[in-house]
Amino acid sequence: MNAEPSLPRHHLPPESVAELVRGEGGPATLGLLLDGERSRRLLLLRMLDDATELGPAWDLLSAAQRRAPRVVDDLLMYPQTGMWLTTALRRLRGTLPQDDPPLSVVLGHISALAATAALRAELDFAIDVPVRHGRVPLPTLGCAMVPATEPWSTATVRAAGGRAVVEAPGASIAVPLPLGSPGPGWHPMRRLAVGPADQRLDVALDDVDPYRTYPQPTEPRPLSDEAAAQWRRMLEEAWQLLLREQPETAGAMRRGVLSLTPTPAGERFRPRSVSAGDAFGGIEASEPDDAVQLAATLVHEFQHTKLGGLLHLTPLLAPGAHEDGKVLWYAPWRDDPRPLEGLLQGIYAFMGITGFWRARRWSAGADSAVAHFEFALWRAQVGVAMNQVHRHPRFTQHGTALLDTLRERCAKWLQEQVPEEQTALARLCADDHVARWRAHHLRPPAPAVDEAARAWSAGASEPPASLTAAPAVVPNPYARWLDSLAMLVRHRLSDANEDRPWSDEPEKAATRVNGALPADSLLIAGDALTACDAYVAHLTVEPNRADTWAGLGRALALTGIEPTAARLLCETPERARAVHAAVSRAVGRAPDPIHLAAWLGSSSPA
């Protein structure tokens, strides 16, 4: 490729910084972020060329650039190209596992990029490219299917006189013209263009590029025509919704959302989506429940995209001089504790989600109860996350401005009226989530736990003061589905719209939500007294299950029974869980969980 004499120095004007700080960013600002990403990709490509011999691929890319510079620029800016560049450099430096595929296959992807550029530039050429389990992906175009006798091999892409083929032992697959057409042995990458001509979203539906999944590459998995048609329908509906309800965001998405990677559907109300700072403009998403969920997913991941672009131009956090990199925080949208960098990403993304539901609740019609609940839940959760780290010393000037601005906006949203039922449900779910997180991930000091166990066994009137010492964050890798109450609420509100008798058999509802207990369903159905009995019964069978301790506290609080035990279990369930286990080990039998919690909470405020 032709080397640029020097890369431009990128600068975001104050008005663009202000947009991004507010969680916004129009098309012009997205254009500036894209300019920065282009320079970053060129720099990474030069670093890769310096680190290894790219040979014929580099020469072919250079020829394509001379013939059709826009083609090469489009290919360079494709999200998966950015992901491949960083993956290749990290593999070369040994900072990624040296597993499959072999490094030669990773580096050989440059040849597939060069072949694609040359095909699109209508050059005559021949070049060897990687074969991955019988598939030959050509980025942005599609992939050829050839016989596979081994996982990794090579094929030859050649073009002459307006005809192109992929040649491998036992196969010669024609690349259909015009590019993007289907053909025997060839699966084209589809493009989805939705919306009116002047507001069109045009994205690649990428099911073949190995670097379309983040952060780990995966082999091509072509969609059926029926599945692709379903994605087109869903995206069309989601885009129309965004044009109506989030027109400014939609305008920016037209520049900043470039590819959509489909993955199989997951559990209802638990979509999975991923984006990566190295793959600006790319979104990986599971098949959505409906168009509203897909629209929310696009907003969520687009927030990550914008913040990732901003972080490539200006730091929001200073290096960890004030902490050793092991300090972890509560993220209300995650099961696991998060470092500050990850928490900031979540704050920015879920402010976007909160804004989405804020707009949605006035146009959702029959689904307005769900929209009110989502808005009430996420404004509370984002507020909690921001309050944890407000004035943290690692925030730079721009980082401080961003957090302060978002906190001010969230504070205003917290003053907005939401129907009482959805407000109460949101508060219940928010409080329950943090309690479950604490029960899973916080550990009181072991000597204090042992001292408390001895005091209980000796019949002491109150626990030792040592138990009130700050607990340590000890991530539990098995913590999952801490949002089970919120999932049950979504089922309940959705079922109400469809006239399903959810509350008639609430315990059956627990079978529809991974991680939910029958007691959780009883709690959401409003039968807190029966839920208490169910939580206690479950503790007799599985006393170390963290979720049960948190749920018992919430049920006790709603009944008004044993308020001291309720407060302890709602605010510091990790104490009851730890001491209960210690007493059980010491005396060979489990103490009554409610009596123990009441005793633990008797000495002083938690």
Side-chain angles (χ1 to χ4, degrees):
M1 291 181 66
N2 298 331
E4 297 186 9
S6 63
L7 293 177
R9 183 176 179 83
H10 294 278
H11 174 71
L12 284 176
E15 57 271 20
S16 294
V17 174
E19 284 183 353
L20 294 168
V21 160
R22 294 195 301 269
E24 302 166 355
T29 295
L30 263 292
L32 294 173
L33 294 180
L34 284 164
D35 289 343
E37 289 300 311
R38 180 180 182 276
S39 290
R40 184 174 183 272
R41 301 275 175 88
L42 287 169
L43 179 61
L44 293 174
L45 190 58
R46 172 55 69 190
M47 292 169 63
L48 186 62
D49 185 47
D50 289 343
T52 186
E53 178 55 55
L54 299 181
W58 186 268
D59 296 337
L60 187 55
L61 269 177
S62 297
Q65 186 187 47
R66 289 190 295 270
R67 177 74 171 270
R70 289 188 179 180
V71 164
V72 175
D73 196 63
D74 179 67
L75 196 59
L76 179 72
M77 291 306 297
Y78 191 58
Q80 280 57 284
T81 302
M83 200 71 210
W84 165 71
L85 280 166
T86 54
T87 299
L89 287 166
R90 288 166 184 158
R91 283 288 298 268
L92 281 169
R93 293 170 178 171
T95 57
L96 284 180
Q98 302 297 308
D99 299 328
D100 286 345
L103 180 60
S104 60
V105 173
V106 175
L107 297 178
H109 190 72
I110 185 69
S111 298
L113 287 164
T116 297
L119 285 170
R120 292 175 60 181
E122 300 180 348
L123 295 176
D124 292 347
F125 69 95
I127 191 170
D128 291 341
V129 300
V131 179
R132 312 172 67 108
H133 297 272
R135 291 182 175 165
V136 186
L138 298 181
T140 74
L141 297 182
C143 73
M145 277 73 83
V146 300
T149 58
E150 53 186 308
W152 320 107
S153 58
T154 59
T156 301
V157 181
R158 67 176 76 247
R163 181 174 178 271
V165 295
V166 178
E167 297 174 343
S172 180
I173 307 299
V175 180
L177 296 175
L179 296 174
S181 305
W186 175 259
H187 176 81
M189 183 183 295
R190 302 173 179 89
R191 294 203 68 87
L192 304 183
V194 297
D198 60 339
Q199 296 176 307
R200 183 159 294 161
L201 177 68
D202 187 346
V203 300
L205 186 66
D206 195 339
D207 53 357
V208 297
D209 194 301
Y211 299 94
R212 72 196 183 280
T213 53
Y214 319 128
Q216 298 297 326
T218 53
E219 301 314 312
R221 293 190 180 92
L223 288 176
S224 67
D225 289 339
E226 294 76 13
Q230 172 66 6
W231 272 96
R232 182 182 295 277
R233 287 191 295 270
M234 203 74 78
L235 184 62
E236 180 74 58
E237 293 179 31
W239 187 243
Q240 293 294 343
L241 185 154
L242 289 171
L243 288 174
R244 289 193 309 270
E245 299 178 14
Q246 305 262 288
E248 293 182 359
T249 297
M253 279 185 184
R254 293 180 63 207
R255 296 208 64 180
V257 175
L258 307 176
S259 76
L260 182 60
T261 295
T263 60
E267 182 183 348
R268 189 183 182 199
F269 298 122
R270 276 182 173 143
R272 178 186 179 275
S273 63
V274 187
S275 54
D278 294 324
F280 187 98
I283 295 174
E284 178 188 350
S286 59
E287 182 181 335
D289 298 341
D290 52 33
V292 175
Q293 187 180 86
L294 179 55
T297 295
L298 293 175
V299 169
H300 179 164
E301 298 304 339
F302 187 53
Q303 289 290 100
H304 283 304
T305 293
K306 290 185 295 183
L307 187 61
L310 177 60
L311 286 168
H312 285 161
L313 295 177
T314 184
L316 301 178
L317 294 170
H322 300 281
E323 54 188 57
D324 60 6
K326 297 181 181 179
V327 176
L328 300 173
W329 302 86
Y330 169 60
W333 38 83
R334 298 276 301 212
D335 292 334
D336 56 333
R338 299 292 288 159
L340 186 57
E341 291 81 357
L343 184 63
L344 179 60
Q345 282 280 354
I347 287 169
Y348 199 79
F350 279 91
M351 276 296 290
I353 288 293
T354 308
F356 171 85
W357 289 111
R358 178 175 179 265
R360 178 72 189 152
R361 65 200 188 110
W362 303 120
S363 56
D367 293 328
S368 61
V370 174
H372 284 305
F373 167 75
E374 298 287 3
F375 171 64
L377 175 65
W378 293 119
R379 68 179 181 178
Q381 299 284 50
V382 175
V384 165
M386 288 192 287
N387 288 339
Q388 285 183 108
V389 295
H390 186 231
R391 302 303 182 196
H392 192 284
R394 282 190 60 198
F395 280 98
T396 64
Q397 180 180 357
H398 281 148
T400 298
L402 182 144
L403 193 66
D404 286 350
T405 301
L406 296 182
R407 283 185 80 237
E408 290 174 7
R409 174 169 290 189
C410 188
K412 292 178 181 177
W413 288 351
L414 285 165
Q415 299 303 313
E416 294 186 11
Q417 293 296 312
V418 174
E420 183 176 346
E421 180 186 6
Q422 285 80 58
T423 298
L425 288 171
R427 186 181 303 113
L428 172 68
C429 293
D431 291 344
D432 178 76
H433 189 278
V434 69
R436 292 184 189 224
W437 185 92
R438 291 185 65 100
H440 274 285
H441 300 297
L442 297 190
R443 298 290 179 272
V449 171
D450 291 340
E451 185 182 0
R454 290 193 297 270
W456 166 268
S457 300
S461 60
E462 60 181 33
S466 60
L467 197 61
T468 63
V473 178
V474 181
N476 175 4
Y478 302 106
R480 297 187 68 189
W481 303 312
L482 306 191
D483 59 351
S484 294
L485 279 198
M487 292 299 121
L488 288 166
V489 168
R490 292 176 179 114
H491 278 278
R492 171 184 159 182
L493 296 177
S494 178
D495 287 353
N497 289 343
E498 301 168 14
D499 293 326
R500 293 181 188 171
W502 188 91
S503 60
D504 292 349
E505 297 179 304
E507 291 171 288
K508 285 187 177 181
T511 64
R512 299 158 64 186
V513 176
N514 278 324
L517 295 168
D520 294 333
S521 292
L522 291 164
L523 192 62
I524 294 302
D527 191 353
L529 189 60
T530 306
C532 277
D533 293 338
Y535 283 123
V536 171
H538 193 83
L539 283 172
T540 64
V541 177
E542 197 173 359
N544 201 40
R545 179 161 177 167
D547 297 344
T548 313
W549 288 99
L552 176 59
R554 205 63 46 199
L556 286 171
L558 290 175
T559 62
I561 298 172
E562 294 286 358
T564 303
R567 178 176 55 79
L568 185 285
L569 290 173
C570 286
E571 297 181 6
T572 54
E574 68 276 8
R575 294 183 193 173
R577 183 185 180 216
V579 175
H580 187 273
V583 171
S584 299
R585 288 192 302 268
V587 303
R589 65 180 182 278
D592 180 274
I594 296 177
H595 291 164
L596 177 65
W599 178 75
L600 289 170
S602 63
S603 60
S604 61

